[in-house]
Amino acid sequence: MTRRRRDTGTALLMLAPLLALLGVFVLWPLVHAAYISFYTWSFYESPVFVGLGNYLDVLTDQAFVEAVLRGLAFSAMVVPAQVSVAFVFAVLVKSLSRRMAAFMKVTIYIPAVVSEVIAAIVFSLIYTHRGGLLNWFLGLLGKQEDTAWLGESGTALAAVAVPAVWLGAGVASLIMLAGLLDIPETYYECASLDGAGPWTKMFRITLPLMKNIILFLLVTGFAASLQFLVLPLVMTQGGPVDSTTLPNLFIFRHFTNDLYIGYSIAAALLLFAVLGAVSAIIFRLVRSEKAMDG
């Protein structure tokens, strides 16, 4: 009993710095934000308690609801594409020689170290209506009229989604590659002896054993894509006609233009609740399983 207490005390002592940082930089700001959300809090006036008033204002604000739905649509564009690109790239790299695989891994990781601001500027130049690289390339293929990719509400959101996929594909690909390399080759050898082809191996071996990796990438990718701020801010400023105003951009605008920050804090906490709810749905749909090595 004494030894168990000693081990518990040692474990708590070693965890103390991490727990202190977690409390100071995560738990306390979260509790304080929740406290502020119940007040008409301002830097210039005494706070006034309004209860759930700020939350009711946010939930009845059509602009916030549309921003969240737009963010979900944006995530639906980004996350599946990101996971698919990562899987294809990982399969490709696994089939290459060691030297070529090392070169490809460095190449795909480059977007991960590129600033979002730089990526937004580069893709804005690519999408330029007159003289942009994309319209020039499409012109070579026979397209007659140039398209204002960032100037039309029908194409702006998808245009912003492309650099979002590009920025996250590098890390996702390396994680996917690590999962592929962790699958024992004996599984594939046994399948080959039974006459299984490439597609059978993929759907009966690779994808089932990659389920945990795919689940991780879906959850983290969804959380990241729903919180994008820099790309729409730099590329379109939320336009045209708010067609690229994602939730964080909506909250950022409200925070910078409203003297009372209770509304912005309430909106941020409700967005946090949306993130948790959709993540729970993803966990429900893609069940995590423990793979056993043979």
Side-chain angles (χ1 to χ4, degrees):
M1 189 67 177
T2 303
R3 182 177 180 180
R4 181 178 298 178
R5 290 180 178 177
R6 188 185 305 115
D7 291 343
T8 302
T10 303
L12 292 175
L13 181 63
M14 298 180 69
L15 289 173
L18 179 60
L19 294 176
L21 291 174
L22 182 66
V24 172
F25 294 105
V26 178
L27 296 180
W28 168 245
L30 182 61
V31 171
H32 189 59
Y35 170 79
I36 292 176
S37 68
F38 294 108
Y39 287 81
T40 54
W41 200 90
S42 171
F43 292 103
Y44 309 102
E45 299 178 9
S46 299
V48 178
F49 181 76
V50 293
L52 297 176
N54 287 322
Y55 291 96
L56 292 176
D57 290 341
V58 175
L59 291 174
T60 56
D61 189 344
Q62 187 64 24
F64 174 77
V65 175
E66 291 177 354
V68 172
L69 294 177
R70 194 177 299 116
L72 294 174
F74 181 78
S75 297
M77 296 179 189
V78 173
V79 178
Q82 206 169 76
V83 173
S84 300
V85 169
F87 181 76
V88 171
F89 180 83
V91 171
L92 174 63
V93 170
K94 186 181 178 182
S95 65
L96 298 176
S97 63
R98 179 175 299 181
R99 180 174 299 179
M100 183 59 67
F103 172 77
M104 293 297 291
K105 284 188 284 187
V106 173
T107 302
I108 195 64
Y109 188 72
I110 290 176
V113 298
V114 174
S115 165
E116 284 188 41
V117 176
I118 301 301
I121 293 173
V122 170
F123 275 87
S124 295
L125 295 176
I126 292 175
Y127 291 136
T128 300
H129 185 202
R130 301 292 182 183
L133 182 62
L134 181 56
N135 281 328
W136 171 81
F137 177 75
L138 293 176
L140 294 179
L141 299 179
K143 190 173 183 296
Q144 300 298 323
E145 297 182 1
D146 292 336
T147 302
W149 299 99
L150 297 177
E152 299 180 6
S153 57
T155 58
L157 190 64
V160 175
V162 172
V165 173
W166 181 74
L167 285 169
V171 174
S173 298
L174 295 183
I175 294 174
M176 191 76 76
L177 178 61
L180 282 178
L181 294 176
D182 196 46
I183 299 176
E185 287 296 328
T186 53
Y187 290 179
Y188 297 105
E189 293 172 1
C190 293
S192 297
L193 292 176
D194 290 337
W199 290 105
T200 302
K201 293 178 183 178
M202 177 179 295
F203 287 102
R204 294 297 181 91
I205 299 176
T206 304
L207 290 179
L209 292 179
M210 290 289 291
K211 185 179 290 187
N212 292 339
I213 300 295
I214 295 173
L215 173 62
F216 172 79
L217 292 177
L218 287 175
V219 173
T220 56
F222 166 77
S225 61
L226 192 61
Q227 298 182 79
F228 264 107
L229 170 64
V230 175
L231 288 180
L233 179 63
V234 175
M235 296 178 71
T236 61
Q237 294 78 50
V241 199
D242 287 335
S243 61
T244 57
T245 300
L246 300 181
N248 267 358
L249 180 54
F250 173 86
I251 296 171
F252 172 75
R253 281 179 174 175
H254 210 285
F255 177 78
T256 55
N257 296 325
D258 191 353
L259 294 177
Y260 301 96
I261 66 173
Y263 178 100
S264 302
I265 297 297
L269 292 176
L270 287 173
L271 179 61
F272 177 75
V274 172
L275 284 169
V278 178
S279 297
I281 293 174
I282 295 175
F283 273 106
R284 183 75 175 178
L285 295 177
V286 186
R287 295 181 180 274
S288 178
E289 296 178 359
K290 182 178 180 181
M292 302 297 294
D293 292 341

